Amino acid sequence: MLSRLADALVPAFGRLSVTADDGADLAPGSIVAANHTSLADPAVVLAALRHLGVQPVVMATAGLWRVPVLGRVLAREGHIPVHRGDRRAARALDLAEAALDRGRVVLLYAEGGLPRRGDAAEAPPGTFRSGLSRLARRTGAPVVPVGQAGARRLVSGSAAKQLAGLVTAPLRRPCLHVHVGRPLALTGDAATGTSQALGAVTAAWRTAAAHLDEPAARR
């Protein structure tokens, strides 16, 4: 339902395009790592993945499970709450491992939060947390880097700016782009694997941002 809803709503708010590297493969049991820039980008990425025939299990902040209606949908569909800074945090990796074992694709955001910027411009992904690397090492699952650009054109900045962006988006219909990179097997220790994943997601983001002619992609 979450993927279907994203696929139905995103075209009403923006113009989504999707590209992929040669050899990109969203095989069952893969981990999808995407950059996180806006409250809107999970919907953008879910819509893009559904166009490619994939409806993933999403790892997301546990606070979303307290939102009326949305929390029930997330729980019913088997998405995974992440309790950051809590002893329950390790449980998220256990649930993700079980989902991968069942052949599900797991989508996660290794940055662990949104950038604290008020503008709508693009910027490279921030520092990755180690959970992605630890999950990949535990399971041997390939990591598929995904870069998205344009979601900040939908919502970004203060609460008032985000509301204004959402209200005006159906009229503006900003361009959105998602790029899927080739899967990679993370190697070395947790720090090395985290660095490899960050480099791959940054490259995918740069390709997505270039499609939108974002100045940050040229730096």
Side-chain angles (χ1 to χ4, degrees):
M1 177 179 175
L2 205 61
S3 291
R4 292 197 303 272
L5 187 61
D7 192 31
L9 288 177
V10 168
F13 289 86
R15 291 168 286 176
L16 175 62
S17 55
V18 184
T19 54
D21 285 339
D22 290 338
D25 184 18
L26 291 158
S30 297
I31 302 169
V32 170
N35 63 309
H36 200 16
T37 65
S38 163
L39 290 174
D41 66 59
V44 173
V45 172
L46 284 174
L49 292 179
R50 192 164 192 267
H51 288 178
L52 299 173
V54 174
Q55 299 182 83
V57 170
V58 182
M59 298 180 72
T61 180
L64 294 176
W65 272 252
R66 295 193 293 271
V67 177
V69 181
L70 176 61
R72 290 197 297 273
V73 171
L74 293 170
R76 184 179 67 239
E77 297 192 352
H79 300 290
I80 300 169
V82 179
H83 298 268
R84 297 189 180 94
D86 188 302
R87 63 183 180 182
R88 293 172 292 178
R91 176 64 174 157
L93 291 184
D94 294 337
L95 293 172
E97 182 175 3
L100 292 167
D101 286 343
R102 295 194 303 271
R104 297 297 305 273
V105 170
V106 172
L107 167 64
L108 60 79
Y109 292 91
E111 289 162 276
L114 292 169
R116 296 183 178 181
R117 294 189 288 110
D119 62 285
E122 290 293 322
T127 303
F128 275 14
R129 297 173 183 260
S130 63
L132 166 60
S133 178
R134 288 187 283 128
L135 179 61
R137 292 176 72 201
R138 279 172 58 167
T139 62
V143 174
V144 180
V146 167
Q148 64 77 27
R152 291 186 67 80
R153 299 177 179 182
L154 292 174
V155 292
S156 59
S158 67
K161 285 182 65 178
Q162 290 188 49
L163 180 60
L166 193 62
V167 169
T168 61
L171 298 176
R172 296 182 291 112
R173 299 197 70 244
C175 292
L176 316 165
H177 193 85
V178 173
H179 182 77
V180 181
R182 289 185 295 274
L184 66 154
L186 302 188
T187 59
D189 59 15
T192 300
T194 298
S195 178
Q196 291 168 350
L198 174 57
V201 173
T202 300
W205 161 80
R206 197 172 299 281
T207 300
H211 272 267
L212 302 186
D213 200 28
E214 283 280 348
R218 298 192 293 271
R219 294 174 193 152

